Amino acid sequence: MNINVTLFWQMVFFAIFVWFSYKYVWAPILTAINARKATIADGLAAADKGQQAEEEGRKAAEQVVNEAKAQASEIISKAEKTGSEIVEDAKAKAVSEGNRITTAAQDEIQTEMNKARESLRGQVGELAVQGARQILGREVDAKAHSDLLDKLASKL
Amino acid sequence: MASSGTVTSGEYIQHHLTNLTFGPKPDGSWGIAQSSAEAAEMGFWAMNLDSMFWSIVLGALFIWFFSRIAKKVTEGVPGTAQGFVEMVVEFVDENVKSSFNARNEMVAPLALTIFCWIFLMNFMDLIPVDLIPHALTLFGIHFQKVVPSTDPNVTFGMSLGVFFLMIYFSIKVKGVGGFAAELTMHPFEAKNPILKVLFLPINFFLEAVGLIAKPVSHSLRLFGNMYAGEMIFILISLMFSGGAVLILAGGTLQFIWAVFHILVITLQAFIFMVLTIVYMDMAHSHH
């Protein structure tokens, strides 16, 4: 309870402790705290930025996908259109070809018929003369009745 | 104090309130006082060895622990010890930032030192009052006060240190004239030069009282609280010389008082620190 020289020494040690605290404690710890604060702030900012970038990327990807979808559907509809056109073309070609073949066949048939008719026409006189010769039992002069025979053949 | 049944309560209390004092004896030789009366007679050149020892050990403990952490401090993920130290540092830093408006790198370490040192010194109050003194008696040391902050030398040592810093910074920031004006031009102000001179001694008297009251109240507040708390622990421990009922009651009381004291020791350390910061702010601010 007595005030004595202890007071003086206490002040001396107080000063020493404060100086130590100033020199070796306060600055390094506060520097570390502030540095960490800055790091955390940077980290949070980076996280925010990352989130934003992710959002933007997602949007961009969505847009690309949508564009691709639109393009694909366009391609598909075009292909369908082209396909049906091809089918229509083929159909039309087939019909015309069929018609052509049919016409050609008909023409050939007509030609053949005419040919057969011509050859028949050539032979009809002879057949008729032979038939008449048999019936009459005598020679028939084909030349004498050629007019008649020609008339007959032309009727064929 | 069961070991010595012959001492009275008064002697027991007196014994606990006497420092281990080293100083000049009446015969001219230097030595350790053997009684409180002898310690009182030693005068100014005596030294309280126990207060010196415990306060320096505790202050060194604070510096050792904090500087050890500060040395290998990491900006990355802190360990438990570093987390604790950072918590204390940030707590002090917040208090300094909220109360101290000027720029001075000395104030925050000063506040940190005061808070931690006083807390540790006050903490000694929670150690049972007879534990260390009784153990030391076995080694032939008869007096021991283990709570340095119950010694006014310790509390005045700190408050006067703060006081001198206050005057130093006042003169440094405002100049000798500014500081003198602060002491003589308030609280009574006048434009008239004659009145000004007339008010000068009155102002100086009022301001001087206010100035000197600062370190006195600053240290006596801490000293009074800790001394009273220690006294109550001593009174409670007197009950342990009684019967079983008294011992049980004393144990309960000691527990309750110790729990309450956890608040008191922290609060007193905090108040001392905040007042220091406020005084430093006053020293730096212009009127």
Side-chain angles (χ1 to χ4, degrees):
Chain A
M1 273 296 284
N2 313 305
I3 293 290
N4 53 31
V5 77
T6 312
L7 174 69
F8 170 74
W9 287 113
Q10 283 294 326
M11 283 169 68
V12 171
F13 277 96
F14 177 54
I16 291 171
F17 288 143
V18 170
W19 184 80
F20 263 97
S21 161
Y22 169 68
K23 192 93 177 166
Y24 298 110
V25 175
W26 189 264
I29 289 175
L30 207 68
T31 309
I33 289 173
N34 287 338
R36 187 172 324 104
K37 267 184 190 163
T39 310
I40 290 169
D42 286 355
L44 288 176
D48 268 2
K49 218 185 255 177
Q51 225 160 17
Q52 212 175 337
E54 191 258 325
E55 181 77 10
E56 276 168 13
R58 213 168 50 77
K59 268 183 189 158
E62 219 167 73
Q63 205 179 339
V64 167
V65 165
N66 284 345
E67 269 173 19
K69 267 181 187 164
Q71 237 164 11
S73 65
E74 201 180 319
I75 287 169
I76 286 169
S77 67
K78 237 184 217 172
E80 271 171 357
K81 208 171 149 195
T82 314
S84 64
E85 267 174 11
I86 288 171
V87 168
E88 288 302 314
D89 257 20
K91 264 185 191 165
K93 263 186 192 161
V95 167
S96 73
E97 183 72 9
N99 287 345
R100 200 182 58 77
I101 289 169
T102 310
T103 319
Q106 274 172 349
D107 282 358
E108 206 172 329
I109 287 166
Q110 200 65 45
T111 317
E112 286 295 320
M113 239 162 70
N114 287 347
K115 244 190 212 166
R117 199 172 278 152
E118 286 304 317
S119 75
L120 212 59
R121 219 173 254 155
Q123 286 171 347
V124 103
E126 201 179 334
L127 279 171
V129 170
Q130 263 176 11
R133 207 180 270 158
Q134 301 263 315
I135 295 164
L136 296 175
R138 59 170 178 126
E139 196 71 26
V140 178
D141 190 6
K143 282 186 182 116
H145 300 288
S146 64
D147 286 351
L148 194 73
L149 284 171
D150 284 345
K151 232 182 236 170
L152 188 72
S154 69
K155 262 184 194 164
L156 210 72
Chain B
M1 195 152 170
S3 61
S4 47
T6 53
V7 291
T8 66
S9 301
E11 279 166 357
Y12 175 75
I13 293 169
Q14 183 70 39
H15 183 263
H16 267 285
L17 296 179
T18 304
N19 284 103
L20 183 69
T21 315
F22 178 84
K25 293 195 169 187
D27 60 8
S29 66
W30 285 60
I32 289 168
Q34 296 301 319
S35 69
S36 51
E38 199 180 349
E41 278 166 18
M42 280 176 170
F44 181 73
W45 293 105
M47 188 191 277
N48 298 341
L49 294 179
D50 46 4
S51 295
M52 288 303 291
F53 175 77
W54 291 111
S55 63
I56 291 167
V57 163
L58 293 168
L61 181 73
F62 153 67
I63 292 293
W64 170 76
F65 181 67
F66 273 59
S67 61
R68 195 179 67 108
I69 298 300
K71 205 171 179 181
K72 52 178 186 179
V73 72
T74 170
E75 291 169 14
V77 182
T80 313
Q82 193 187 325
F84 169 74
V85 166
E86 283 183 8
M87 196 182 76
V88 176
V89 167
E90 283 209 290
F91 169 72
V92 173
D93 194 42
E94 271 170 32
N95 276 293
V96 170
K97 273 181 185 156
S98 65
S99 307
F100 185 73
N101 299 315
R103 279 192 61 83
N104 189 335
E105 288 187 340
M106 210 57 217
V107 171
L110 176 73
L112 176 72
T113 311
I114 282 173
F115 181 70
C116 293
W117 198 22
I118 292 178
F119 177 80
L120 286 173
M121 291 197 288
N122 291 355
F123 185 82
M124 297 300 285
D125 215 0
L126 295 180
I127 296 171
V129 284
D130 275 316
L131 192 66
I132 294 170
H134 190 69
L136 286 171
T137 308
L138 302 178
F139 293 98
I141 298 168
H142 293 290
F143 295 103
Q144 192 69 212
K145 270 177 82 178
V146 295
V147 191
S149 45
T150 58
D151 184 346
N153 287 304
V154 176
T155 60
F156 268 105
M158 276 183 294
S159 74
L160 285 178
V162 171
F163 179 67
F164 290 143
L165 275 177
M166 206 175 122
I167 290 174
Y168 170 72
F169 284 132
S170 286
I171 292 172
K172 195 183 166 194
V173 171
K174 299 162 208 168
V176 180
F179 185 52
E182 201 175 83
L183 286 177
T184 51
M185 299 302 166
H186 297 277
F188 296 111
E189 294 176 51
K191 290 266 189 286
N192 190 332
I194 300 164
L195 268 178
K196 226 175 194 175
V197 173
L198 203 69
F199 282 150
L200 204 137
I202 304 167
N203 281 337
F204 181 70
F205 174 73
L206 289 171
E207 284 293 321
V209 167
L211 189 69
I212 289 163
K214 273 173 193 160
V216 173
S217 66
H218 200 191
S219 66
L220 285 184
R221 181 180 295 106
L222 175 63
F223 165 71
N225 272 283
M226 297 321 296
Y227 190 81
E230 177 78 347
M231 184 70 96
I232 287 173
F233 274 124
I234 293 169
L235 291 176
I236 288 168
S237 70
L238 273 176
M239 296 171 81
F240 295 136
S241 58
V245 179
L246 267 179
I247 289 173
L248 198 70
T252 314
L253 274 174
Q254 177 155 4
F255 174 76
I256 292 167
W257 186 241
V259 170
F260 176 63
H261 228 58
I262 294 172
L263 175 70
V264 173
I265 62 171
T266 319
L267 195 65
Q268 284 305 319
F270 175 69
I271 289 171
F272 204 103
M273 177 190 80
V274 168
L275 281 173
T276 302
I277 298 169
V278 169
Y279 289 163
M280 286 296 121
D281 184 52
M282 287 164 95
H284 283 78
S285 63
H286 296 265
H287 287 288

